[in-house]
Amino acid sequence: MPTLDRAGLQVDAELATFLEQEAMPGLGLDADAFWAGAAGILAWAAERGGRLLAVRDDLQARIDAWHEVRKGTPPDPAETRRFLTEIGYLVPEPAPFTVGTTRVDPEVATLAGPQLVVPSLNARFVLNAANARWGSLYDALYGTDALGDLPPPGPYDAARGARVVARARAFLDEAVPLASGSWTDCADADAALAEPSQEVGRTARGRLFRHHGLHLEVIVDRAHPIGATDPAGIADVVLEAALSTIVDLEDSVAAVDAADKTAAYRNWLGLMRGDLSETFDKGGTTLTRDLAPDRTVTRPDGSTVTLPGRSLLFVRNVGHLMTTPAVVMPDGSEAPEGALDAIVTALCALHDLRGLGRLRNSRAGSIYVVKPKMHGPDECAFTDDLFDRVEDLLGLDRHTIKVGVMDEERRTSANLAACIHAVRDRIVFINTGFLDRTGDEIHTCMRGGPVVRKADMKASAWIAAYEARNVAIGLQCGLGGRAQIGKGMWAAPDRMAEMLEQKAAHPKTGANTAWVPSPTAATLHALHYHQTDVFALRDQIIARAVPSLDDLLTPPLAAGRNWSEAEVIEEIENNCQGLLGYVVRWIDQGVGCSKVPDVHDVGLMEDRATLRISSQHLANWLMHGVCTRDQVEAALLKMAARVDAQNAADPLYRPMAPDPDASLAFQAARALVFEGAAQPNGYTEPLLHRFRRAKKR
């Protein structure tokens, strides 16, 4: 692709044109000054980031050598801590402190509710997620298995509709009970509440209430098919659902070159200006989707209040590891991708901060950036300094750019208070990421011995300590009222009844957000934040002792394993099937996140974090002789045929099994396994990018 010289940088022409002709106009920025400043930031980031990546490699080499000397001897917790402290993996705890973050929107600081993560490259998905701030409870209950079964095929089923109404009315009785009687048999949509202060006011469609900080709207419409048969004329119950959404440039996208990055940045710019729009065909009908407007409510005293119509939007930049060919440095090397993301996403967000667009994102005047895959407090400090430099480049007040710290790497988990301290004046988010955290756990103890089977991983001592420590330490550092404390993803979008049962536990931990895979899931998960008052629980949680660091540092090794050959083959095939099902779409179609059927044909949301576990798990078992290379090769071939069959209806799909040597996707999957132990921290991005670029060529 042609490039343009900008301050000594060779910038892909498409990216440079986008920045200069789409992102910069109206902002009053001088293009030459911008590029000179950007070049300085990228040079600084490349040098400092390179040093930090070398520290990662050095620490892992020392841990590998320590395990090799021990020859599988179970590590003593005190000895482990002593060793990790000596090599600088564990750092001293900071003195007690309280974070100083200011200018934070209520969706982050003082409300509790679901959060979506959406791939930035798909404009339609991005719009769906942004508009998922409000969701129909009737639709979510009717169209999923949330009631225990799926809707029958064909036209509307009145009996199922009655069950939906009954469940929704039961919810209203719990959240906004009436002064007299029950919503179940209420014939008056204007019936008084037991607690009148819960009524916010009237909307164009009905009554708006508030419970645990979340709004819910009772839609009254006697002309509607449902409202016409309802004694009170109630046609729906609409819940405030996805309070926030992370627009993802990282794990859920396959962005490997300048064209991909520019497309992702363009969607983010459209969100920040409020003019993102997508036209698409659905069932033979052409539809156009835009961002939802804000909502006006008339209070009982006649005054009006405006409520956000959309999720508060974060953007997830890539981590410190990757580089991008979109910008080539003066020495011919690729620019650090995370630093480029920081510059461009903040530039685009200036349109929101200055109120230049049709709609507003942050009413508090902040830019929300999630930073993943940081290892320890020095890397968090690097991010803090990077954001300082971007703020200076764009003329922003200090700490306008807020940071969400993904607690998904072992060294960050073990030093969480120190990591928070490193970004204490801009932190707005910490989150447990079970999948990436497990991948890093396996890679860190790669030479310590074979790890347990994947299904047994959640019963490991470190998992419980990890989940509880994240909340406890966050609250001790003063995140309450200033930041989100989050929990991980529900990966089965078709299993909403199971989600309703299991994900109710997340608010009970004191976490004020958790990830869900779809707008419908967000509506259903919102029920959990009505069942549990998260902020009322936090005093109890703060009073508890922080779970042991020893438990957190106990690796999930399979002591005295006695798996049968059938169990080993089952585990290998399970890993290979999930790995192939994800990789084939990533490499061949550039799809970074999708619902992938597992070995039992259950659709699971897969991204690079799930891939990291599968590849590292197989690499670990190969290293320790639990399985052989021939067994893995046979499983890959067998599962390739299985994945081909699962994708037979996709006209864009290219089968792997007929000629695996000619399939770049199959070759990528093999590399992820057989080169897995050598990948930096077990990450899959370097190999995926290499094979995807080859496919695009």
Side-chain angles (χ1 to χ4, degrees), residues 156-276:
Y156 175 74
D157 182 79
R160 185 177 183 83
R163 292 168 59 199
V164 167
V165 170
R167 175 67 182 87
R169 296 299 175 83
F171 161 70
L172 292 175
D173 280 339
E174 296 166 3
V176 284
L178 297 175
S180 176
S182 166
W183 283 100
T184 299
D185 50 16
C186 176
D188 180 8
D190 291 322
L193 298 183
E195 180 50 67
S197 64
Q198 284 191 280
E199 182 147 12
V200 178
R202 298 278 174 166
T203 69
R205 303 187 301 170
R207 299 173 73 186
L208 189 74
F209 309 117
R210 184 188 294 113
H211 178 245
H212 290 175
L214 294 176
H215 295 96
L216 54 146
E217 184 181 18
V218 173
I219 307 298
V220 181
D221 184 357
R222 293 191 180 276
H224 188 276
I226 303 300
T229 62
D230 187 274
I234 296 174
D236 201 353
V237 175
V238 172
L239 303 186
E240 193 172 21
L243 296 181
S244 56
T245 288
I246 298 172
V247 180
D248 193 20
L249 294 169
E250 196 236 5
D251 261 2
S252 69
V253 300
V256 302
D257 56 24
D260 294 335
K261 296 296 292 187
T262 303
Y265 292 150
R266 182 172 284 114
N267 284 341
W268 175 245
L269 176 63
L271 291 169
M272 293 298 95
R273 292 194 308 209
D275 59 5
L276 183 64

Side-chain angles (χ1 to χ4, degrees), residues 572 576 618 622 627-636 673-674:
I572 297 170
C576 287
L618 286 167
L622 280 166
C627 60
T628 67
R629 186 182 183 104
D630 287 345
Q631 286 176 316
V632 175
E633 293 276 20
L636 284 168
V673 175
F674 297 123

Side-chain angles (χ1 to χ4, degrees), residues 112-184:
Q115 187 171 64
L116 288 169
V117 183
V118 63
S120 58
L121 281 169
N122 191 311
R124 179 179 171 186
F125 289 179
V126 165
L127 288 163
N128 287 348
N131 292 342
R133 177 67 174 253
W134 302 87
S136 164
L137 181 58
Y138 278 17
D139 287 350
L141 291 171
Y142 186 93
T144 71
D145 71 343
L147 296 176
D149 52 13
L150 289 169
Y156 175 74
D157 182 79
R160 185 177 183 83
R163 292 168 59 199
V164 167
V165 170
R167 175 67 182 87
R169 296 299 175 83
F171 161 70
L172 292 175
D173 280 339
E174 296 166 3
V176 284
L178 297 175
S180 176
S182 166
W183 283 100
T184 299

Side-chain angles (χ1 to χ4, degrees), residues 32 78 100 103 120 173 184 237 295 306-307 332 358 417 420 491 518 659:
D32 290 340
R103 290 176 291 158
S120 58
D173 280 339
T184 299
V237 175
R295 296 175 168 228
T306 300
L307 298 179
R358 186 174 66 89
I420 294 172
S518 68
D659 191 356

Side-chain angles (χ1 to χ4, degrees), residues 68 79 128 140 167 192 226-227 258 267 279 322 327 372 377 405-406 443 475 490 516 526 585 616 622:
E68 292 283 3
E79 181 188 2
N128 287 348
R167 175 67 182 87
I226 303 300
N267 284 341
T279 299
M322 296 302 292
V327 176
V405 175
M406 295 291 297
H443 188 82
L475 291 176
W490 177 259
V516 285
R585 296 182 183 181
Q616 289 298 293
L622 280 166

